Structure formats: structure tokens, C-alpha cells
């Protein structure tokens, strides 16, 4: 079932062997078996030959909750060791304790089952094959190549098999969320399949769990086996808050786009320019969801405005620096802006006959003849004077007037009209910067309210307090009045009075004026809706 896989991995292990191992080390191989156990998943490695030390291939996976259950062996810094040679060992893997930015979860609970990250089990310099062993009432997915991505091991009862793929739903997932995700997964595949082609190299699987350890409200990722893992934290998923419901409506559409643009093919600039595949997925999701009636044009416009403002807030007037588009929300914000501009341009140039999905299809089809796709391939499809050049090439000082003029010329109406979220962000980020040393910090919206994301180097604001009020204003509901009050205090160099939800009252320093935030509202724009075939 995995002859192709073994060929690929053999090539990989040879390359590593040449670079890193002594010549005397013979070609190693391992079989790996995983099964449900008390407290997580028990994994057994069987090596072709005894050794005293093996190292895991991917050091980024978090393994601090992995316990070696074979006597006489230890696991530290991604290395399993013993004084005596061993050819088998077992580790009990407990679910990860937290979501960490841009790191795959080693193990996540899905009701009574789990999703295990196969590549996290691979050993350096070895071919490996992973078999998940179901116990009574259990099943495993995907059918093949489990070592290459996420694998589900758990109750068969959690799996729904439909045309277009299987959906695994954790036992505690509310029906409304399960329907939103499952229906979106299938509808998105139908839409992308019609526009981008149906030749996916895998049978897609969607996993939905509300057993995320947090702190991220919800998060998803896709692996090379076509398995999408979506993870929700907390208990409010039967009736999510308004500011969560918006992004949630297109979440699975975004992840499903990655089945086409992120996996089963090579991303030439996946790490150096993630804005291309992430912006493509996020903007493609908006277009597809709008065209399928999942969101309306007003929702699409407010989503685009949020991305535009987010990109402007990150890049500001500084000249382009690729590092600013390699992590955090700017990857998505600026990525969407570039896709939007490209879409407006191609639709205008073709009188609406072509759109952004035609550009993606051209690029994805061409990848078969070559070595994947990247930024140069994408930019080659844009007009020579594309508005994307303003963002990527033009001097920073001219960027936002240039973008505004270009969007206007393409039929978009922008009005500078900050909302309470913009006032809140401007005020809290400014005060954090005034009080913290060693880098700016932000804040989270948590169930209890607004929680600062502060380290211990933020004076009286240290320790990530949850806010009750600032200058007697609620930072959530009353953000604009709070902003004005803070602005008045700062301009006079007076301390700003905070009250925390634990009852503590503090005075934070403010010696620099607080600038008016800028935030566009998109009052009109060409419709995103496009053809579904
Ligand atoms: Zn993504």
C-alpha cells in the first residue's frame, strides 16, 4: 500500500544519512504501531537493527508529555537513549497541553479518540511505516500513508462517510458546529473541484474537535495526507459570539482550499512567503463562500476591510521587508489584500469572464510540469503595473496612498471610519508600549473580557491582567470613549487609571500622545460572487 511512500522516504533518508551519519551506520528502518491507551496513544517502534540511540526527525514537535514506558530508556531533547542496545521501544503520548503558533499538534483528543501527527513519530535516518491499530469499535483514517500527516484513531461512530470524503466529529461537538463544518467541507470541495480541477492525490478527511487545549479560540491545519484537523477551544460553540461567528463561517472553506494549494504539491516559497498560499486560501474562501451563498457581499466587504486595515497597521509606512509577512496575522491580512487586488484586475481586464480562481488554476496546472509554484509564478500572471507591486515594491511612504488610489480606480470606495475595535487596539497597544520594555505586546479577547498580553516587564501592567475599566470606561463596549479619555491624559503626560477584574487599581505611565487610529470601511466594491463552474 505504501511502495511509493517508501521510495520517497528512502531518498530522504539517504540524503540525511550522507550528511549526518557515520559511514558505518547501516540503512535503518522502523515500523511504528499506534493504539489507544489510557491517557492517550501508546506508540511502539520496532527497529531493523539494535542501537543505543535514535533521534526524532522533526525537533519542533512538542514532546514534553511523551513518556517512555520501556524500562531502561530515556527521552530527552528529541533523543531516545539507553546504555544497552535496543530494537524496540514504546512511548505513551498524552495530548498536547497547548496550541503553539505554526507548530503541528503531536496529539489532540477527539472525543474518545485522537488525532496523531505521523511525521512527529519519524526517526532520523530511517524509513518508517505507521500503522494505527484500532481496538474494538474503533477505526482509523486515512487508509494509507499515515506517517505523512494527521491520522485519526478512535470510535467508528464518530465518522460520517460521504461523497467527497469522511468527516470525524468529536463527541462533544454541538450539532450546529458539526453541520457548519461538515456541510462547508463538502460544499467547498464541490466549488473548488469545479473551478480548480478534481485531481486531488488523496481522499480528504475533516476532523472536528472541541477538545482543543487552547489558548487559541479555534485553529486548523492540513497535512499531506489530505486530513484537515480543526480544533475548537472552550464550550460556547453552540452559540458563538458575533465576532467569532464571522470568521468561523469561512474557516473550513479556507482549510479546504489548502487541499488544492498547500498539500500534495511543492510550495517553493512556503516558509519565506506564506502570504501566497495563506492569502490564496483566505481570499479564495471568501470568493467561494460568497458565490455559494454562505456569506453575503456586505460580510465579504467587512472581511476585506479588516484585512486591509490589518495589513496597513502591520506594514505602516516602512519599506517592504519580507520578514514582516512571514508570521502572525500580516500573513493573512496582506496576503488577502494582494489576492483582492489581483482579482479586481483580472476581472476588469476580462470584462468579468476571468477571476482569481482562473489565475490559481493556471498556476496549479503548470506546477505539474515543474517543481511546484511560488511568488514569481504568481506575479508573472499579474499585469506589469499591478497594484500588488505598490505593496511589494513601492517605497513605504507612498504605499497606502498608492493602494487607496488603485483600489478606488478598480471600483472600491473606502472611507476612513475607525470602529470601536480600532480605538481599543490603538489605545491598548499604545499604553502597553509606554509601559513595557523589550518589545510591544497586544491583548486577547477572552470570555471574561479583555486580557492584556503582557510579560513581567510591563510595570504595573505586568502579568496579563484582565481589564475591568480604563479611565472608568469598559474597554470592550465603551472603547471609543475610553480612547478619548486616554488621549486627554496622555497629551498632558498624566497617568492612566486602570481597574483589573481582580479588583486591583493601578496607574500606568503615558508620556507620548496617542494618535488617532486609521481604519477604512469598504462602502462599495465589485461583487466577489463569481461562477461556480
Ligand atoms: Zn491556512
Amino acid at each position: 500500500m505504501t511502495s511509493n511512500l517508501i521510495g520517497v522516504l528512502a531518498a530522504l533518508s539517504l540524503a540525511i544519512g550522507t550528511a549526518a551519519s557515520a559511514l558505518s551506520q547501516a540503512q535503518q528502518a522502523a515500523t511504528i504501531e499506534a493504539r489507544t491507551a489510557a491517557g492517550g496513544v501508546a506508540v511502539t517502534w520496532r527497529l531493523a537493527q539494535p542501537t543505543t540511540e535514535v533521534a526524532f526527525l522533526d525537533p519542533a514537535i512538542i514532546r514534553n508529555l511523551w513518556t517512555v514506558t520501556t524500562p531502561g530508556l530515556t527521552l530527552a531533547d528529541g533523543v531516545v537513549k539507553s546504555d544497552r542496545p535496543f530494537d524496540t521501544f514504546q512511548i505513551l503520548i498524552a495530548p498536547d497541553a497547548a496550541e503553539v503558533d505554526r507548530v503541528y499538534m503531536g496529539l489532540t483528543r477527539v472525543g474518545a479518540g485522537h488525532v496523531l501527527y505521523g511525521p512527529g513519530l519519524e526517526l532520523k535516518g530511517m524509513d518508517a511505516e505507521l500503522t494505527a491499530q484500532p481496538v474494538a469499535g474503533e477505526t482509523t483514517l486515512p487508509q494509507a500513508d499515515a506517517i505523512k500527516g494527521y491520522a485519526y484513531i478512535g470510535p467508528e461512530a464518530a465518522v460520517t462517510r460521504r461523497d467527497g470524503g469522511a468527516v470525524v466529529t468529536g463527541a462533544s461537538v454541538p450539532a450546529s458546529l458539526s453541520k457548519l463544518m461538515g456541510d462547508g467541507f463538502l460544499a467547498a470541495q464541490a466549488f473548488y473541484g469545479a473551478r480548480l480541477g478534481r485531481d486531488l492525490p488523496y481522499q480528504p478527511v475533516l476532523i472536528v474537535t472541541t477538545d482543543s487545549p487552547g489558548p487559541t479560540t479555534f485553529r486548523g491545519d492540513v497535512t499531506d495526507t489530505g486530513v484537515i484537523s480543526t480544533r475548537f477551544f472552550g464550550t460556547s460553540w453552540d452559540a458563538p459570539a458575533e465576532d467569532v461567528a464571522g470568521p468561523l463561517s469561512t474557516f473550513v472553506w479556507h482549510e479546504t482550499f489548502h487541499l488544492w494549494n498547500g498539500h500534495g504539491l511543492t510550495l517553493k516559497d512556503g516558509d519565506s512567503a506564506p502570504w501566497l498560499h495563506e492569502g490564496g486560501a483566505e481570499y479564495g474562501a471568501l470568493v467561494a463562500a460568497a458565490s455559494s451563498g454562505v456569506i453575503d457581499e456586505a460580510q465579504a466587504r467587512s472581511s476585506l476591510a479588516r484585512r486591509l486595515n490589518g495589513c496597513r497597521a502591520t506594514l505602516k509606512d516602512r519599506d517592504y521587508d519580507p520578514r514582516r509577512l512571514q508570521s502572525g496575522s500580516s500573513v493573512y491580512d496582506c496576503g488577502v489584500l494582494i489576492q483582492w487586488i489581483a482579482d479586481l484586475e483580472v476581472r476588469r481586464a476580462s470584462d468579468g469572464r476571468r477571476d482569481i480562481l482562473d489565475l490559481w488554476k493556471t498556476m496549479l496546472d503548470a506546477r505539474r510540469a515543474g517543481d511546484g509554484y511560488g511568488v514569481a509564478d504568481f506575479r508573472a500572471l499579474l499585469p506589469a503595473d499591478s497594484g500588488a507591486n505598490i505593496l511589494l515594491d513601492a517605497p513605504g511612504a507612498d504605499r497606502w496612498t498608492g493602494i487607496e488610489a488603485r483600489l478606488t480606480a478598480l471600483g472600491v470606495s473606502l472611507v476612513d471610519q475607525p470602529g470601536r475595535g480600532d480605538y481599543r487596539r490603538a489605545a491598548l497597544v499604545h499604553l502597553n508600549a509606554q509601559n513595557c520594555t523589550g518589545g510591544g505586546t497586544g491583548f486577547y479577547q477572552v470570555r471574561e473580557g479583555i486580557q492584556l498580553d503582557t510579560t513581567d516587564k510591563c510595570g504595573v501592567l505586568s502579568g496579563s491582567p484582565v481589564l475591568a475599566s480604563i479611565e472608568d470606561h469598559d474597554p470592550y463596549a465603551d472603547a471609543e470613549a475610553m480612547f478619548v479619555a486616554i488621549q486627554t491624559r496622555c497629551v498632558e503626560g498624566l497617568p492612566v487609571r486602570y481597574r483589573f477584574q481582580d479588583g486591583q487599581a493601578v496607574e500606568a505611565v503615558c508620556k507620548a500622545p496617542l494618535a488617532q487610529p486609521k481604519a477604512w470601511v469598504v462602502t462599495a466594491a465589485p461583487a466577489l460572487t463569481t461562477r461556480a463552474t
Side-chain angles (χ1 to χ4, degrees), residues 86-351:
F86 57 92
D87 59 7
T88 181
F89 62 99
Q90 190 176 66
I91 294 180
L92 177 65
I93 300 181
D96 288 35
E99 293 272 4
V100 177
D101 190 31
R102 299 194 88 75
V103 177
Y104 283 103
M105 295 282 276
L107 190 72
T108 313
R109 283 204 306 120
V110 185
H114 293 92
V115 54
L116 177 67
Y117 184 61
L121 310 178
E122 285 193 83
L123 302 172
K124 253 185 211 168
M126 283 188 212
D127 301 340
E129 193 171 325
L130 169 63
T131 314
Q133 297 285 0
V135 298
E138 285 191 339
T139 191
T140 65
L141 285 166
Q143 298 302 329
D145 295 352
I147 192 77
K148 287 163 71 181
Y150 281 132
Y152 169 74
I153 318 173
E156 165 72 36
V159 181
T160 313
R161 293 169 205 273
R162 297 196 257 183
D163 275 356
V167 180
V168 181
T169 312
S172 57
V173 176
S176 56
L177 180 65
S178 157
K179 184 171 163 47
L180 176 79
M181 298 298 288
D183 289 356
F185 172 63
L186 297 172
Q189 281 195 63
F191 187 90
Y192 300 141
R195 293 298 313 275
L196 300 173
R198 296 184 195 280
D199 53 345
L200 295 182
Y202 29 60
Q203 284 280 326
V205 176
L206 173 71
I207 299 173
V208 185
T209 177
T210 40
D211 300 318
S212 163
T216 324
T217 317
F218 63 89
R219 194 172 153 214
D221 35 39
V222 188
T223 56
D224 289 348
T225 46
V227 179
I228 303 174
S229 165
T230 62
R231 305 177 294 273
F232 297 82
F233 171 56
T235 54
S236 55
W237 294 104
D238 46 350
E242 199 183 318
D243 57 326
V244 174
L248 181 61
S249 63
T250 54
F251 172 43
V252 76
W253 294 73
H254 171 111
E255 300 302 336
T256 305
F257 198 97
H258 284 318
L259 294 176
W260 273 262
N261 89 335
H263 298 274
L265 76 170
T266 305
L267 302 186
K268 287 182 202 162
D269 306 313
D271 292 328
S272 59
W275 59 262
L276 178 56
H277 69 276
E278 291 298 357
E282 184 62 19
Y283 185 77
L286 289 176
V287 169
S291 304
S292 308
V294 169
I295 58 170
D296 62 26
E297 293 290 340
Q299 288 168 314
R301 284 196 298 273
S302 76
S303 188
L304 291 168
R306 192 165 54 84
R307 297 303 185 181
L308 173 62
N309 292 325
C311 183
R312 179 159 80 168
T314 311
L315 297 189
K316 302 193 173 74
D317 291 341
R318 293 177 291 224
D319 286 348
Y320 180 69
D321 174 349
R323 285 170 303 178
R324 291 195 200 287
L325 293 188
Q326 284 169 359
S327 64
S329 58
S330 62
V331 170
Y332 301 86
D333 293 339
C334 301
V336 165
L337 176 56
I338 291 168
Q339 296 291 319
W340 187 26
I341 292 170
D343 191 25
L344 292 166
E345 288 171 346
V346 66
R347 290 189 197 217
R348 171 159 293 195
S350 67
D351 253 338

